[in-house]
Amino acid sequence: QVQLVESGGGSVQPGGSLRLSCVASGFTFGFYAMNWYRQGPGKERELVASITSAGSRTDYADFVKGRFTISRDNDKNMVYLQMYSLKPEDTAVYYCNGDEVLWALNPGARNWGQGTQVTVSS
């Protein structure tokens, strides 16, 4: 029943910007930390950014720190990823999801879903 629908991806030149959005349903969104993950071509899925359930703290992978900002709106069941200064190595399919805490109670959340494609090239 968990549904996570990402949007906002596209193709940009190096140095460009995008804002990704994710709308969630099927669970009590405001009770859980949320994350953005990505999977580049030929690579494993990796964690990009995290935000606590109330949005009070955020954490970022070193390779995006200072360039990306994660935020959320619990009234709308949405989480966002604002991306600046995009690099070719940011090219990937981006996914939103929780973590083991969510997955333990909602096994369907492990299905990941479609994601949204970000392509950075000149």
Side-chain angles (χ1 to χ4, degrees), residues 6-21:
E6 302 90 348
S7 62
S11 296
V12 298
Q13 295 184 344
S17 302
L18 287 170
R19 191 179 84 137
L20 308 184
S21 299

Side-chain angles (χ1 to χ4, degrees), residues 25-56:
S25 61
F27 64 101
T28 307
F29 181 78
F31 285 5
Y32 297 92
M34 292 296 295
N35 311 280
W36 284 95
Y37 305 81
R38 72 186 186 188
Q39 187 168 19
K43 299 180 179 180
E44 295 183 347
R45 185 181 295 110
E46 61 186 352
L47 180 64
V48 175
S50 302
I51 187 166
T52 55
S53 59
S56 56

